[in-house]
């Protein structure tokens, strides 16, 4: 340290602010049921989209594009695509697991008055390729960071978000006129909800268990034990 | 609505809590400079990793694995991988742009006392394939959601995070003994910092501009105008 120079250290948020950030993280839920028919106001939707748009992006590429879907006919088309994919998914399970799967509500496409499709233009020249020579997939990852920003802001605003991946991407692409060079990243349902579940639906229904953090954590190198644990992880 | 039944509506956070969540989103930075040598306490690191581990994941798959790197020799190896990739990247630019690129600090691998590599096991049987028949890439996206959770929690705690994508993934894989079937998602530097910049480095240096939200927003279908705008977007 140079004499007379003091190294400052940036301070974090105060206790209440920190707690609010963790609250959003811990109380965020993937919502599929209980969407209310009242549309969310434009101003609120805009705040959520601004939150998404303030995500980090490789080279400041901002490759995300947001398609807000309110049109009921468009949502009906997407819902039909879900029905087909979900039927196929259900048929891939057997016995108790199939029964459990069939009993779960996995989307709110028609109930949520607004859907949001996030696509990514990985070919955009914005950012001038900075950070993308070796890991070009970071363009897509930037779009995902935007989604998580929106998801947390939505929780704070009392807006539920559900991510629907049980959709044949090419059919969604056709329904929304998304061109070939654009990647469909995510299809979300969002809206006011009756409640946020205390525990994730998949945990409550017994579909999957929460893994303790220490089982997915290692130091200085990959833990080869992770591969031996298999489903027991 | 059934008579006598009242539909409740989940409330959001109070004004101060909402503001804190948006503050984390808007003040989060990709930090590459000014990391301080003091390691962050285990308890704090643990809170950040718990935030990551509470991310949404497809089918509750939790496919992320966290490798915390404190060993200086390992960080030196990673730093050498960065130096090579960065040299190649710099050589791909010309004139003023090359000068601008060369003048930017793009990583804090050696200065930040802890690095964090996030990898994804897309073959894990956890989650029993729910939601992954049609869009298997959602396993990777889950790991990215975990990163964004950690990034926001870190900002609230006064901890800087920088994502280094200027790395040849196969060399990183060898350095950290990551097997073939595991995907390297991200390599992060994290630690206490002197300051969080008011404006992102790439914006301040003139590398790229912030796009207004309305330029990346459309309704009900893809906006074909997005492709015509090119770099002007």
């Amino acid at each position: 340290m140079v004499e007379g120079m003091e190294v400052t250290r940036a301070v974090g948020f105060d206790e209440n602010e920190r707690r609010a950030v963790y609250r959003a993280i811990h109380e965020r839920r993937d919502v599929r049921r209980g969407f209310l028919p009242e549309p969310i106001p434009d101003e609120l939707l805009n705040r959520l989209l601004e939150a998404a748009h303030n995500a980090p992006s490789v080279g400041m590429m901002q490759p995300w594009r947001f398609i807000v879907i309110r049109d009921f006919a468009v949502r009906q088309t997407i819902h039909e695509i879900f029905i087909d994919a979900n039927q196929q998914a259900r048929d891939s399970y057997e016995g108790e697991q199939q029964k459990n799967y069939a009993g779960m509500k996995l989307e709110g496409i028609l109930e949520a008055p607004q859907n949001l499709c996030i696509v990514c233009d990985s070919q955009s020249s914005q950012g001038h390729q900075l950070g993308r020579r070796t890991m070009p997939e970071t363009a897509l990852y930037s779009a995902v960071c935007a989604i998580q920003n929106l998801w947390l802001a939505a929780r704070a605003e009392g807006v539920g978000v559900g991510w629907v991946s049980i959709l044949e991407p090419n059919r969604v692409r056709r329904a929304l006129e998304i061109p070939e060079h654009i990647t469909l990243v995510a299809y979300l349902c969002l809206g006011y909800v009756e409640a946020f579940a205390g525990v994730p639906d998949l945990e409550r229904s017994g579909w999957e268990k929460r893994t303790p953090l220490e089982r997915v954590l290692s130091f200085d190198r990959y833990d080869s034990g992770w591969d031996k644990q298999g489903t027991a992880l």
Side-chain angles (χ1 to χ4, degrees), chain A residues 14-220:
Chain A
D14 72 29
E15 183 59 29
N16 286 334
E17 289 176 305
R18 273 208 303 277
R19 199 177 291 131
V21 173
Y22 283 115
R23 186 184 166 199
I25 288 170
H26 292 289
E27 297 184 12
R28 180 210 49 77
R29 288 290 169 269
D30 194 324
V31 178
R32 300 94 174 263
R33 71 179 74 235
F35 282 108
L36 301 178
E38 187 193 344
I40 62 175
D42 284 346
E43 201 187 37
L44 170 51
L45 180 61
N46 206 64
R47 281 203 297 278
L48 300 181
L49 292 171
E50 278 288 0
H53 191 46
N54 269 276
S57 63
V58 62
M60 216 175 147
M61 190 187 183
Q62 305 159 80
W64 44 71
R65 308 288 178 259
F66 306 117
I67 308 174
V68 172
I69 300 141
R70 285 174 170 147
D71 187 304
F72 189 71
V74 177
R75 288 189 283 132
Q76 267 180 318
T77 304
I78 302 292
H79 189 250
E80 282 159 21
I81 299 169
F82 165 80
I83 293 289
D84 291 348
N86 197 46
Q87 173 93 46
Q88 283 174 23
R90 199 187 62 196
D91 292 348
S92 72
Y93 298 109
E94 289 179 353
E96 270 305 304
Q97 200 172 34
Q98 187 178 67
K99 223 164 121 182
N100 192 351
Y101 185 90
M104 285 192 283
K105 178 137 174 40
L106 296 171
E107 53 72 46
I109 297 165
L110 297 178
E111 300 95 317
Q114 45 279 308
N115 293 180
L116 175 63
C117 183
I118 292 94
V119 301
C120 177
D121 183 355
S122 295
Q123 291 177 15
S124 164
S125 60
Q126 278 196 299
H128 313 287
Q129 298 292 322
L130 188 145
R132 296 186 58 231
R133 268 183 61 95
T134 40
M135 300 188 76
E137 64 273 28
T138 44
L140 295 170
Y141 296 171
S142 303
V144 177
C145 288
I147 293 165
Q148 185 63 6
N149 266 7
L150 177 137
W151 212 333
L152 295 172
R155 178 60 191 88
E157 298 273 11
V159 171
V161 173
W163 183 325
V164 189
S165 61
I166 305 168
L167 293 168
E168 168 54 50
N170 284 327
R171 288 182 66 188
V172 175
R173 186 186 288 285
R174 280 195 296 276
L176 302 180
E177 303 175 14
I178 300 167
E180 271 296 314
H181 68 286
I182 299 292
T183 308
L184 171 70
V185 177
Y187 193 91
L188 310 179
C189 304
L190 55 161
Y192 290 123
V193 288
E194 287 174 24
F196 291 91
V199 169
D201 282 6
L202 296 183
E203 197 175 346
R204 204 175 30 76
S205 71
W207 184 266
E208 192 48 88
K209 289 186 186 68
R210 183 157 290 282
T211 304
L213 173 61
E214 60 269 26
R215 302 291 289 272
V216 293
L217 176 61
S218 78
F219 291 87
D220 297 320

